[in-house]
Amino acid sequence: MTDIPVVLYACIHNGGRSLAAKVLTEHYGAGRVEARSAGSEPGESLNPLVVQVLHERGLSTEGERPKLLTTDGVAEADVVVTMGCGETCPIFPGKRYEDWELDDPKGQDLDTVRRIVDEVDAHVRRLLGELGAD
């Protein structure tokens, strides 16, 4: 067990919003928080426009791939952030849950995806501040 909080970001396909949140958390948290991501129905690949926007910010998505949201993954997390998959996420008493209402970047144009990633960025920074990991 570690002293740092574990944050799990969960969305549907785990290739857009939750991916961006994980990468941004790793960047800003710089080892003060462990970020994980998963999807209730993981896709086959990452959203290429989300990857592009993260790369524009100098952030790598190397080694990332969509992963299945599991009960064990939720149980291991200190904070669970859902983004459109709230009803499929297992609930454990005493665990902190947040639901971030964000548009799905799937099928959106580049400017819209940039806006969505900006919104994810703001939520991540706020959460890290609350966790004392900023």
Side-chain angles (χ1 to χ4, degrees), residues 4 11 37 44 47-48 52 60 67 69 74-75 80 91 112 130:
I4 63 173
C11 67
S37 69
E44 295 293 318
N47 182 308
Q52 179 180 336
S60 174
K67 294 174 265 330
L69 178 64
V74 174
V80 179
I91 304 294
T112 301
E130 290 173 2

Side-chain angles (χ1 to χ4, degrees), residues 34-65:
E34 181 179 338
R36 301 176 183 175
S37 69
S40 56
E41 299 173 24
E44 295 293 318
S45 61
L46 304 178
N47 182 308
L49 291 182
V50 172
V51 170
Q52 179 180 336
V53 171
L54 292 171
H55 288 182
E56 289 172 357
R57 294 168 171 235
L59 303 173
S60 174
T61 57
E62 186 175 336
E64 297 293 339
R65 61 177 176 68

